[in-house]
Amino acid sequence: MAKVNGNYLKLPGSYLFSTIGKKVNAYAAANPDKKIIRLGIGDVTQPLAPAIISALHGAVDEMADAATFRGYAPDLGYDFLRSAIARCDYQARGCDISEDEIFISDGAKCDSGNIQEIFSVDNKIAVCDPVYPVYVDTNVMAGRTGTYDAQKETWSDVIYMPCIAENEFAPMLPDKTPDLIYLCFPNNPTGAMITKSRLQEWVDYANKVGAVIIYDAAYEAYISEEDKPHSIYECEGARTCAIELHSFSKNAGFTGVRLGYTVVPKELKAEGVALHGLWARRHGTKYNGAPYIVQRAGEAVYSEEGQAQIKKQIAYYRNNANYILEGLRAAGYFVSGGVNAPYIWLKAPEGMTSWEFFDYLLEKANVVGTPGSGFGPSGETYFRLTAFGSYENTVEAIERIRKL
């Protein structure tokens, strides 16, 4: 008799954004005359940059010619993309990362969920609270999180690091010693960012206790302040304690094209075993690689034209973020984020839970955001809006909210 993985049965409810989608679809079906503005899921709206489109067309044409046709991609990704990443994202910033330490994938979400497979289920994980749900849910699926307390909305074997207004929505070093530490900066969902000196404290701590930091840098392109690190490898000692995840979704609009990468330095070990080799084995066994045409598109991101064009798109979304931030602040809301990140984190009106505010905005303003409690217990009474809508919709949404 076939048996299911019982860990899946421990997961409470459905995935956060699936729940939001169902609620919004139900409201839209019941109110077909309403114009709903969606500032919830972090999906981009601007088209791919011309340099990227040109590279895609060129690669498609190559696939139509037997002389230039490509089949299976190399396990770890094409050299032309890995070398561009190493040169532009790391070596240009003084980070000691080589192309053979870069693993190409179809996105940071998949990698953040899959990376835990190379670690024992006995590892204790530490996460920010609130947190991107994938970090926790995939560890639940693996059987690493213990039992769920529905009242507290926490897992018994997870170390939670509260990110609250009092610590500027950035975590403090944990009281209990973790084995795996998930960090995301600029942060999803709070939009918080930390200085290089504070990130160095995390690197020093991880090396001291023998922990591995899984560092999600999916939003680094939105950093606008000079003293903020774009990579954890800007910190001394990070090569012996950190894995870094990257995405092309938010910097270059690849949400529908799918491309990302993970960096695993060769010096990084657990119990004396090099994690680079383990991730390479997992990657080669379970993944056939991002398509050739997509990797050529990724290469175009690093071209002179591509860099100029995506910077304009990032500036477009940053302008949206600033409009949301200032508009809500003028309306009397407590808001943060939106400076180094495309997310704005706001406090719901007094007496409202996150989901009550979600329903209130949907029904009264026809605006969709994300309830903070969906990211963890410390997110209760908070709410996330994204800057990835069109400028026109962003302006209209904030005006609707201000009139409530």
Side-chain angles (χ1 to χ4, degrees):
M1 178 180 177
K3 297 179 180 178
V4 301
N5 180 346
N7 294 313
Y8 278 70
L9 305 180
K10 297 177 182 179
L11 290 164
S14 60
Y15 183 55
L16 171 62
F17 297 106
S18 298
T19 301
I20 290 172
K22 291 175 183 176
K23 289 175 75 74
V24 174
N25 290 339
Y27 180 83
N31 300 273
D33 58 321
K34 303 293 186 182
K35 177 188 175 183
I36 298 173
I37 299 177
R38 302 169 189 256
L39 300 180
I41 295 175
D43 195 1
V44 295
T45 53
Q46 295 296 295
L48 294 172
I52 296 169
I53 291 294
S54 178
L56 280 169
H57 281 301
V60 168
D61 289 341
E62 287 184 57
M63 298 297 275
D65 186 333
T68 53
F69 173 81
R70 308 287 183 114
Y72 288 122
D75 282 356
L76 310 185
Y78 284 100
D79 289 343
F80 60 76
L81 178 56
R82 298 168 79 199
S83 62
I85 291 168
R87 183 177 66 255
C88 300
D89 286 351
Y90 294 101
Q91 293 159 12
R93 293 181 175 133
C95 301
D96 180 21
I97 296 296
S98 60
E99 64 181 84
D100 61 355
E101 295 175 312
I102 295 166
F103 298 76
I104 305 300
S105 72
D106 57 359
K109 178 181 180 180
C110 294
D111 283 354
S112 66
N114 293 333
I115 196 70
Q116 52 80 27
E117 288 188 23
I118 66 174
F119 296 98
S120 166
V121 294
D122 298 331
N123 282 294
K124 186 83 73 174
I125 71 166
V127 298
C128 295
D129 174 29
V131 65
Y132 180 44
V134 172
Y135 307 155
V136 176
D137 287 0
T138 52
N139 277 283
V140 175
M141 294 170 181
R144 194 176 284 115
T145 55
T147 57
Y148 184 67
D149 186 324
Q151 186 172 3
K152 295 181 179 179
E153 298 183 313
T154 58
W155 295 90
S156 62
D157 291 345
V158 174
I159 299 170
Y160 291 91
M161 304 180 293
C163 299
I164 54 180
E166 287 73 16
N167 57 18
E168 299 180 320
F169 301 105
M172 308 298 287
L173 296 177
D175 294 330
K176 298 178 181 178
T177 304
D179 302 302
L180 303 177
I181 303 169
Y182 286 81
L183 294 178
C184 175
F185 290 109
N187 186 257
N188 177 16
T190 68
M193 187 59 199
I194 60 174
T195 62
K196 181 178 176 180
S197 61
R198 288 191 66 185
L199 185 57
Q200 184 68 59
E201 291 177 9
W202 282 97
V203 170
D204 294 342
Y205 171 78
N207 277 319
K208 178 182 177 181
V209 302
V212 173
I213 296 173
I214 298 171
Y215 191 79
D216 189 345
Y219 306 97
E220 64 82 19
Y222 290 85
I223 296 172
S224 60
E225 296 178 320
E226 292 296 326
D227 62 337
K228 305 300 191 295
H230 288 256
S231 168
I232 196 169
Y233 301 116
E234 294 178 37
C235 296
E236 185 178 351
R239 286 183 59 86
T240 56
C241 72
I243 292 171
E244 186 165 281
L245 314 175
H246 267 263
S247 169
F248 284 74
S249 290
K250 305 307 193 297
N251 67 328
F254 279 45
T255 54
V257 179
R258 305 310 307 151
L259 189 65
Y261 67 86
T262 290
V263 178
V264 186
K266 293 177 181 176
E267 287 100 315
L268 180 57
K269 296 181 179 180
E271 296 184 299
V273 178
L275 298 181
H276 183 277
L278 294 186
W279 185 239
R281 186 69 170 87
R282 192 266 172 205
H283 216 61
T285 301
K286 291 191 173 185
Y287 184 60
N288 268 336
Y292 171 71
I293 61 173
V294 174
Q295 293 196 47
R296 279 297 185 193
E299 180 190 29
V301 169
Y302 297 99
S303 68
E304 186 175 345
E305 279 185 306
Q307 284 292 291
Q309 291 163 4
I310 68 169
K311 283 178 180 177
K312 288 182 179 179
Q313 290 193 345
I314 291 166
Y316 179 93
Y317 294 129
R318 278 180 177 164
N319 186 52
N320 286 353
N322 183 66
Y323 192 92
I324 297 171
L325 188 68
E326 297 303 324
L328 292 177
R329 188 171 284 158
Y333 286 90
F334 173 81
V335 289
S336 65
V339 176
N340 295 296
Y343 296 121
I344 293 83
W345 191 242
L346 64 139
K347 182 81 170 175
E350 191 68 32
M352 278 194 184
T353 67
S354 298
W355 279 106
E356 286 171 346
F357 189 52
F358 173 89
D359 292 335
Y360 177 72
L361 282 188
L362 179 60
E363 294 170 9
K364 302 298 183 183
N366 305 141
V367 173
V368 178
T370 308
S373 61
F375 298 102
S378 290
E380 182 57 277
T381 74
Y382 284 90
F383 204 75
R384 191 193 77 173
L385 293 176
T386 84
F388 291 120
S390 69
Y391 177 73
E392 294 75 17
N393 278 348
T394 298
V395 170
E396 184 176 348
I398 298 308
E399 291 309 304
R400 290 183 191 180
I401 294 173
R402 292 180 67 173
K403 289 177 182 179
L404 293 177

